[in-house]
Amino acid sequence: MRRRVIFRGKLLPYLLLAPQIAVTLVFFFWPAGQAIRQSVLREDPFGLSSEFVGLENFREVLSDPLYLNAVWNTAVFSTSVAALALGAALFLAVLADKSIRGAGVYKTLLIWPYAVAPAVAAVLWLFLFHPAIGLFGRALNAAGIAWDFKLNGAQAMLLVIFASAWKQVSYNFIFFLAGLQSIPRSVLEAAAIDGARPARRFWTVVFPLLSPTTFFLLVVNLTYAFFDTFGVIHALTGGGPGKATETLIYKVYVDGVQNLNLGGSSAQSVILMAIVIALTAVQFRYVERRVHY
Amino acid sequence: MATLELVGVRKSFGSVQVLHGIDLSVADGEMVVIVGASGCGKSTLLRIVAGLETPTEGRVLIDGRDVTPLEPADRDIAMVFQNYALYPHMSVFDNMAYGLKIRRVPRAEIRRRVQETAELLGISSLLDRRPRQLSGGQRQRVAMGRAIVREPRLFLFDEPLSNLDAKLRVQMRAEIRRLQKRLGVTSLFVTHDQTEAMTLGDRLVVMHQGRAAQIATPMEVWARPADTYVAGFIGSPAMNFLDATLAEEGRAAALAAGPVLRFADGPRPGPEGRRIVVGVRPEHVHAAPGDEGGLPLAIELAEPLGSETVLHGRLPGGESFTARLPGAAAPQAGAVLPLRLPADTLHIFDAETGLRLDPRA
């Protein structure tokens, strides 16, 4: 149902749009503009003056081995988080889609982690996997596995991946469950009569019919892993040990806020911004069209 | 090509029993139509045959083999669904080939069989399309094709025509019948439409409240309905029912409305005064010749249809009554028309059980 509303004057529509425009201007365009400006400037060590250096900051950032390390970390981290969060959510959704006793409770419990703040989630995982006081951390060590994510970079990466994915499973679960429920039962029954066993039904009918949902969630999860996992990493590992869990977004923080390298940090921000824009463009362009059967 | 047998099939959903023991045997190549109002359990029965539901009690035998515990995949049947249930993400070709691929039929043979079937159904030009690019009638054909191409032992149809418009429905009905005869595949067809049932079935199963009220050929169901439900369900407009009692030592019915009708075929069992129901189809009623008297029908509504006129009205006792008279020159609403009910067209039922009463042998 579409209704066309026509306002008399010119003022009212602008007034109605003003709050949204103000928010976008203040919290996005202004900082983004600042970042772009900063990315081509270099400050003196005391922050008293700055000079224009062109693309020098970008050249420096892109040739910095530490930056390339962060790129690699981000790639590993975000693919793992997306794969883990999508896989687990799909598995749980398939189970929840069956008619089982207490389905309502089960679904509610699965959705809860989404309501937990990133830092709180991180502390929860910290307490579980702390090598000295954590329940699982101690158990692992007792079982003879040398578990200490504060010393072992791979273990630290594993932990932030799990903690970040855990938070995203709920969100994916809701979408997958809705997707599964929108698949007509008779189509699955037709496949069963055509001779397909459950596993085959899943891979040849259910999974392809979920592809629009999966693609949408993939983009959302990558965006999440790229940009919204700062809190988890900060509370769990602080990017360490060494630089083992330093992702792009975390490095922006470290370089800009801790090391006060404003030019370099801004250049990284601009690169990240380009990635967001690209991801969003992909989402808008393809989610609506290509994946639809 | 197979026989199908249902033995004492019962089904309950929780405490609600929807099937109260159905027995049916379908011969090789026969088309049996299960017909009934919605909620009578006909779809459930079909789903039990398909293996999509498990019967609470009873057995399903295909070719004499008990398939009750088998999964749908192992029964070698094909089903056409009401909403077609095509795989939306596959082309028409892949939709039809799906079952064959699962059965590991060689690629070349799949191609050959799909193309043959597509030709048979006139959908060869659609093989590359997706279901959403097809019209309702085309989807229907694809759904049929998907069933036919598998060469199953049994076809199941779950109201496949109810989503089509009237004209297409008549056309597809004829086509389904033609194909079924040509392929000779044993078939079960579920519908709520009595015309479909009458025209498609070798035999009908008229279902009512989870029971098979009558299993017989369409003509027999029409000519000798087993009870008042079947009598009222088959035939349009529906049969008229008049309360009466047995009179003249079982040789006649004394209508509550007054007149006494003598039976043409012999006495019915039971004491005089036994409460019965007399059924007469609207098309069997005549206008009585002027001097004969007859049953006066106070006409409330006349529906001229050109070749015939349907009259709705009331008898003196207040019972509503419908008559179908040939020609368009019929009386108008408000008139009173004396009717004659020919003795050889009467159906006699027991008033308590609703069951048909046949003459004493």
Side-chain angles (χ1 to χ4, degrees), chain B residues 14-259:
Chain B
S15 61
V16 185
Q17 193 165 2
V18 293
L19 290 177
H20 301 263
I22 303 283
D23 296 284
L24 172 68
S25 64
V26 182
D28 188 15
E30 192 181 20
M31 177 117 168
V32 168
V33 175
I34 304 172
V35 62
S38 47
C40 70
K42 57 188 191 298
S43 282
T44 307
L45 186 64
L46 194 75
R47 293 170 62 83
I48 286 175
V49 175
L52 297 171
E53 303 276 358
T54 322
T56 315
E57 252 180 76
R59 290 181 305 147
V60 178
L61 296 98
I62 298 178
D63 266 342
R65 195 166 73 102
D66 190 351
V67 299
T68 323
L70 295 189
E71 290 289 314
D74 301 318
R75 296 187 179 199
D76 196 13
I77 48 174
M79 183 156 164
V80 180
F81 289 81
Q82 180 171 3
N83 58 5
Y84 320 133
L86 299 176
Y87 310 122
H89 57 299
M90 296 184 199
S91 67
V92 168
F93 181 92
D94 288 333
N95 261 284
M96 290 168 67
Y98 186 73
L100 297 175
K101 278 183 191 154
I102 288 171
R103 286 180 170 71
R104 296 175 196 282
V105 175
R107 204 174 270 266
E109 198 191 332
I110 293 182
R111 183 152 286 281
R112 185 182 59 76
R113 273 163 72 172
V114 169
Q115 268 160 2
E116 267 178 28
T117 311
E119 240 156 77
L120 182 72
L121 290 161
I123 51 173
S124 302
S125 59
L126 307 175
L127 287 176
D128 294 328
R129 302 244 191 115
R130 295 287 167 90
R132 71 186 164 96
Q133 299 167 308
L134 304 178
S135 69
Q138 290 170 332
R139 286 179 202 190
Q140 172 69 61
R141 280 164 200 272
V142 176
M144 295 272 303
R146 187 173 65 181
I148 291 171
V149 78
R150 291 235 326 268
E151 297 172 8
R153 292 194 292 178
L154 203 60
F155 275 155
L156 305 176
F157 298 89
D158 188 8
E159 308 209 23
L161 303 178
S162 55
N163 285 355
L164 299 178
D165 62 58
K167 194 176 155 203
L168 204 50
R169 194 180 312 164
V170 174
Q171 192 188 331
M172 283 308 292
R173 191 170 76 203
E175 197 155 329
I176 287 179
R177 183 58 174 156
R178 190 172 56 77
L179 279 170
Q180 193 271 336
K181 282 229 160 111
R182 176 165 162 191
L183 301 169
V185 180
T186 314
S187 305
L188 270 188
F189 191 107
V190 160
T191 181
H192 61 266
D193 182 308
Q194 49 153 317
T195 321
E196 258 171 44
M198 298 290 284
T199 51
L200 277 173
D202 291 318
R203 279 192 302 151
L204 306 187
V205 178
V206 185
M207 287 196 54
H208 179 46
Q209 295 180 344
R211 289 190 173 80
Q214 188 168 13
I215 302 177
T217 63
M219 275 311 114
E220 180 160 6
V221 169
W222 186 79
R224 292 171 42 81
D227 62 20
T228 47
Y229 177 79
V230 177
F233 188 78
I234 301 289
S236 174
M239 185 185 276
N240 296 296
F241 295 109
L242 304 171
D243 289 331
T245 51
L246 215 50
E248 298 183 15
E249 295 167 348
R251 280 187 186 72
L255 294 187

Side-chain angles (χ1 to χ4, degrees), chain B residues 280-333:
Chain B
V280 58
R281 293 199 183 276
E283 58 269 35
H284 288 152
V285 175
H286 302 308
D291 53 343
E292 201 178 288
L295 206 56
L297 175 70
I299 299 165
E300 290 174 342
L301 175 68
E303 298 174 327
L305 301 172
S307 63
E308 62 189 29
T309 305
V310 178
L311 302 173
H312 300 277
R314 289 187 185 278
L315 297 181
E319 304 102 320
S320 60
F321 193 93
T322 307
R324 217 168 103 183
L325 302 179
Q332 294 303 303

